[in-house]
Amino acid sequence: MSTQAQSQIKYFWEDLPVGKTLDIGSITVDHDEVIAFATKYDPQPFHLNEEAAAKSMFGKLSASGWHTCAMAMGLMVRGFLHESSSLGSPGLEAVKWLKPVYPGDTLTLKQRIVEARPMKSRPDVGLTRTLWEMFNQHGDQVLMMDGYGMFRRRTPAGSDEPKASE
Amino acid sequence: MSTQAQSQIKYFWEDLPVGKTLDIGSITVDHDEVIAFATKYDPQPFHLNEEAAAKSMFGKLSASGWHTCAMAMGLMVRGFLHESSSLGSPGLEAVKWLKPVYPGDTLTLKQRIVEARPMKSRPDVGLTRTLWEMFNQHGDQVLMMDGYGMFRRRTPAGSDEPKASE
């Protein structure tokens, strides 16, 4: 990453302490995209057509749970990670699909930092554990994810420099 | 689900005991699809173009972790769930992105049942916990998922009928 890009970073690891909450953004679920995603990645009948969905436990056409996760990730990148020193994620501790997601729903994502610690193996990187919660327009929570992210530190551990970018 | 469809089901809950393993299938990762998925759902530079990827920790263009999950789900539906009495999943206990996934990689998915129990609230449904492991063509594991699925039972708990479909 260039020095210029580095100077535009709003969230280094130090800026993500335990308890910090952020409203990440909203997205309205597109009917055709629900079908396009499912056709490629989750072709179960209740994600593909209204008739099969009407006979299923969902009652009507619903988005693949993986599509819901992907929409949450899209919000997260555009509304947070692009402004951060993120170095990716090793994984998640939990994913819960709490309610069906339907075309036309408007989903809103929030995140809260629940754990933050330095990485022993890399003095320039810290680990955060984040709880993501996504709600529909009725206020019902549809998705919970609990996972880890790695972020570059503004000030590497043991450094005398006030900023890594200086 | 119609009686005819029911008679075509190969895997009811009873057919998925602890320890059962299944080879689910393989997929080769398409370069353009990596970029298309990332453009929509995970527009981080190292998933979008070779130049940015070369400067990242991945070294070259890699698939979004969510794309890897979605490809695994596609294999799972086509290679297993379509022949099962699946009623969906409430969520996962873990997702681990263990190695980068690159365009051209051939990924192979296996699953192993690690837990199976009746659902108290629904005598016609059982719960399974499954470990999914996906490997690349070098034998390196790239993805681990550990999660729950609900499956209709062939014989509901407390039923005198030998088969629910009879």
Side-chain angles (χ1 to χ4, degrees):
Chain A
M1 184 167 281
S2 72
T3 306
Q4 186 181 13
Q6 176 122 352
S7 71
Q8 291 162 355
I9 291 173
K10 186 172 172 185
Y11 299 108
F12 284 91
W13 175 73
E14 290 90 337
D15 305 309
L16 302 165
V18 172
K20 185 173 183 74
T21 61
L22 280 171
D23 291 327
I24 302 298
S26 294
I27 187 172
T28 296
V29 182
D30 180 76
H31 176 272
D32 293 352
E33 197 182 310
V34 163
I35 294 173
F37 187 101
T39 301
K40 215 174 248 283
Y41 302 115
D42 190 350
Q44 300 185 84
F46 41 81
H47 297 319
L48 290 174
N49 73 74
E50 299 286 358
E51 198 184 357
K55 293 181 196 160
S56 77
M57 63 191 153
F58 300 117
K60 52 184 180 168
L61 187 75
S62 65
S64 166
W66 294 106
H67 188 189
T68 303
C69 290
M71 287 187 282
M73 185 66 188
L75 289 173
M76 210 185 302
V77 173
R78 293 181 178 95
F80 169 65
L81 292 175
H82 267 174
E83 296 185 299
S84 81
S85 64
S86 172
L87 295 170
S89 167
L92 303 171
E93 289 291 318
V95 175
K96 287 188 185 166
W97 295 295
L98 300 164
K99 294 263 185 188
V101 168
Y102 300 112
D105 279 358
T106 295
L107 308 177
T108 301
L109 184 68
K110 298 168 190 283
Q111 74 173 29
R112 180 161 52 90
I113 309 299
V114 294
E115 193 182 329
R117 55 187 160 89
M119 272 187 89
K120 280 182 189 167
S121 59
R122 293 191 56 183
D124 58 327
V125 178
L127 206 66
T128 65
R129 181 171 173 174
T130 305
L131 185 67
W132 292 277
E133 296 179 307
M134 196 147 75
F135 299 84
N136 65 20
Q137 68 277 16
H138 308 299
D140 296 327
Q141 189 175 349
V142 299
L143 178 70
M144 181 278 260
M145 298 191 293
D146 170 359
Y148 292 99
M150 295 172 292
F151 293 87
R152 253 180 315 115
R153 301 173 65 153
R154 180 176 276 119
T155 310
S159 167
D160 289 335
E161 301 288 333
K163 284 191 182 185
S165 58
E166 283 179 2
Chain B
M1 184 167 280
S2 72
T3 306
Q4 186 181 13
Q6 178 121 350
S7 71
Q8 290 163 355
I9 292 174
K10 186 171 171 185
Y11 299 107
F12 285 91
W13 177 73
E14 290 89 338
D15 305 309
L16 302 165
V18 173
K20 186 173 181 74
T21 60
L22 280 171
D23 292 327
I24 302 297
S26 295
I27 187 171
T28 296
V29 182
D30 181 76
H31 175 272
D32 293 352
E33 197 182 309
V34 163
I35 293 173
F37 187 101
T39 301
K40 214 174 248 284
Y41 302 115
D42 190 351
Q44 299 185 85
F46 39 83
H47 297 318
L48 290 175
N49 74 73
E50 299 285 358
E51 198 183 358
K55 292 181 198 161
S56 77
M57 65 193 151
F58 300 118
K60 52 184 180 168
L61 188 74
S62 65
S64 166
W66 295 106
H67 188 189
T68 304
C69 290
M71 287 188 282
M73 185 65 188
L75 290 173
M76 212 184 301
V77 173
R78 294 181 177 94
F80 169 64
L81 292 174
H82 267 174
E83 296 184 299
S84 82
S85 63
S86 172
L87 295 170
S89 166
L92 303 171
E93 290 290 317
V95 176
K96 287 187 185 166
W97 295 295
L98 300 164
K99 294 261 186 189
V101 167
Y102 300 111
D105 278 359
T106 295
L107 308 177
T108 301
L109 185 68
K110 299 168 190 284
Q111 74 174 28
R112 179 161 53 90
I113 308 300
V114 294
E115 193 182 329
R117 55 186 161 89
M119 272 186 87
K120 280 182 188 167
S121 59
R122 294 192 56 183
D124 59 326
V125 178
L127 205 67
T128 64
R129 181 171 173 174
T130 305
L131 184 68
W132 292 278
E133 296 179 308
M134 195 147 76
F135 299 85
N136 65 19
Q137 68 277 14
H138 308 298
D140 295 327
Q141 188 174 349
V142 298
L143 179 70
M144 181 279 259
M145 298 192 292
D146 170 359
Y148 292 99
M150 295 172 292
F151 294 87
R152 253 181 314 114
R153 300 172 66 152
R154 179 176 277 119
T155 309
S159 168
D160 289 335
E161 300 290 334
K163 285 190 181 185
S165 58
E166 283 179 2

